[in-house]
Amino acid sequence: DAKTTQPPSMDCAEGRAANLPCNHSTISGNEYVYWYRQIHSQGPQYIIHGLKNNETNEMASLIITEDRKSSTLILPHATLRDTAVYYCIVRVAGNQFYFGTGTSLTVIP
Amino acid sequence: GAVVSQHPSWVICKSGTSVKIECRSLDFQATTMFWYRQFPKQSLMLMATSNEGSKATYEQGVEKDKFLINHASLTLSTLTVTSAHPEDSSFYICSAHLGNTQYFGPGTRLTVL
């Protein structure tokens, strides 16, 4: 079962930062948090992952709270091409991913 | 790097026939691959974990005799939907594990008439 909960949908103005929250209150100490996104009828695309520290790459930043019970994915300057369903996933011991319902992000011109 | 392909990208078959879907890691070797199913407007559901050289591990509620998985090499896993029925129509997606990350294929749309 998925160990994450996310808001079902969000809007963001083009050019502004998109902040997508995720709750994972039952996460274990050695379980990583991953973020993927899926554009309609395509396979999920990897964005970023982290364990305890905040992470940043060319696509996004990941902010994980100190107690690790929640995290936020930040897309610094959202474009129309960032419109997608964003999934926050906790990777379990066998490397399996159990997807939750995700957040449908719509970037508005 | 880390590209995963699937073949075919879409397939239509008659009820009662079997369909094979291939998942390949193109530029890396993957000891473990995963198969997912996604119905319209729903999230991905993990079906099974495929390990090279051993039997696949199926999630609860997934019929192993209906969804046959073979992981014959470090770059190829196949999913065969046997005796397909209309309710098996779905989007099937594979992923390959590399390092700390899963890389997903583009998916295969199966329609059973």
Side-chain angles (χ1 to χ4, degrees):
Chain A
D1 290 336
K3 301 180 77 170
T4 61
T5 55
Q6 300 174 251
S9 63
M10 292 181 64
D11 292 340
C12 176
E14 187 178 16
R16 305 298 292 268
N19 296 278
L20 291 88
C22 178
N23 287 320
H24 31 79
S25 58
T26 62
I27 193 170
S28 298
N30 59 350
E31 291 178 334
Y32 282 75
V33 178
Y34 286 76
W35 283 83
Y36 284 77
R37 70 182 182 186
Q38 185 180 30
I39 297 171
H40 182 62
S41 295
Q42 297 182 25
Q45 176 191 21
Y46 167 78
I47 300 173
I48 200 167
H49 74 278
L51 182 63
K52 295 180 181 179
N53 300 321
N54 298 337
E55 301 288 343
T56 296
N57 63 20
E58 64 277 5
M59 289 184 69
S61 294
L62 173 60
I63 308 298
I64 302 174
T65 57
E66 193 169 341
D67 63 7
R68 302 211 325 122
K69 292 185 177 182
S70 66
S71 60
T72 301
L73 177 75
I74 302 173
L75 306 178
H77 305 287
T79 71
L80 299 180
R81 293 170 59 181
D82 292 323
T83 292
V85 178
Y86 287 77
Y87 292 102
C88 168
I89 306 161
V90 171
R91 190 188 78 185
V92 299
N95 294 321
Q96 283 89 0
F97 283 175
Y98 295 99
F99 282 71
T101 55
T103 296
S104 178
L105 174 69
T106 302
V107 179
I108 302 170
Chain B
V3 177
V4 177
S5 70
Q6 285 185 238
H7 178 79
S9 55
W10 59 270
V11 57
I12 301 172
C13 70
K14 293 183 178 180
S15 185
T17 61
S18 295
V19 174
K20 179 185 285 188
I21 302 170
E22 294 184 349
C23 175
R24 294 183 184 271
S25 55
L26 297 185
D27 51 0
F28 65 100
Q29 294 182 329
T31 305
T32 305
M33 292 184 174
F34 302 90
W35 287 95
Y36 298 81
R37 180 167 55 179
Q38 185 175 32
F39 293 108
K41 298 188 184 301
Q42 295 187 21
S43 185
L44 282 76
M45 185 194 78
L46 179 65
M47 299 176 67
T49 301
S50 169
N51 292 301
E52 189 267 339
S54 63
K55 291 183 178 181
T57 303
Y58 291 81
E59 294 296 309
Q60 191 172 6
V62 178
E63 300 175 58
K64 63 179 181 180
D65 294 330
K66 180 168 185 61
F67 299 99
L68 302 179
I69 292 173
N70 184 281
H71 195 151
S73 76
L74 290 172
T75 59
L76 173 64
S77 176
T78 61
L79 168 68
T80 301
V81 182
T82 63
S83 187
H85 290 97
E87 57 265 31
D88 298 321
S89 298
S90 189
F91 192 51
Y92 291 86
I93 308 170
C94 72
S95 71
H97 182 78
L98 175 64
N100 273 333
T101 305
Q102 282 190 35
Y103 295 94
F104 286 81
T108 296
R109 176 77 57 191
L110 170 63
T111 301
V112 185
L113 302 177

